Amino acid sequence: MDEWKMWEHDGVRLSARERLALARIEAGLRQDRRFARRMGDARYGLWLPVAVLLLAVASVFVAVMGIRTSDPALLWCFALLWPFTLIQAFRLLCRATRPRPRRPHRRPRPTPWL
């Protein structure tokens, strides 16, 4: 592919200095996590569903083992772990129901975390 065509946007060609400046700006923006979240970067949106799944599995395991053994330590672990699970699940539910701005160049997904 022609290097000029690769860097041609809206009929405007960029010089080598302009391409370097643009590359630096883009690298700086990619390092800003808050900006990436606002722009809907999928890499940062994967951790919340994984955290909810792991917390739910751990909560169920601790609850079952606490009931089977009647160990107060396991029951207290469940009592401390369960609210965190509910909070994260609520955050995931809020994220799934939050309206997203439509982007004309992208195909809309059912939810941002799928």
Side-chain angles (χ1 to χ4, degrees):
M1 176 179 253
D2 185 19
E3 186 177 335
W4 281 109
K5 286 184 181 180
M6 188 172 83
W7 286 94
E8 187 174 330
H9 299 286
D10 298 329
V12 177
R13 291 185 176 180
L14 301 175
S15 69
R17 266 190 352 200
E18 291 169 332
R19 288 189 305 237
L20 181 61
L22 182 62
R24 286 181 181 162
I25 292 169
E26 289 175 348
L29 290 175
R30 277 192 293 272
Q31 290 177 351
D32 188 3
R33 290 183 181 176
R34 192 179 326 160
F35 178 74
R37 262 183 293 175
R38 284 184 188 163
M39 296 305 291
D41 192 3
R43 291 182 302 173
Y44 296 108
L46 181 67
W47 289 108
L48 186 58
V50 171
V52 170
L53 179 67
L54 291 176
L55 282 170
V57 168
S59 295
V60 168
F61 176 76
V62 170
V64 168
M65 292 307 293
I67 292 169
R68 285 191 69 206
T69 62
S70 298
D71 185 12
L74 288 173
L75 294 173
W76 276 106
C77 285
F78 173 73
L80 294 174
L81 188 62
W82 185 241
F84 292 119
T85 306
L86 290 178
I87 290 169
Q88 295 293 49
F90 182 72
R91 286 182 61 207
L92 185 62
L93 181 65
C94 288
R95 180 191 288 183
T97 58
R98 178 176 47 200
R100 292 283 182 162
R102 297 274 184 210
R103 293 186 180 143
H105 65 279
R106 280 185 155 178
R107 193 172 48 143
R109 296 187 307 190
T111 59
W113 48 270
L114 285 180

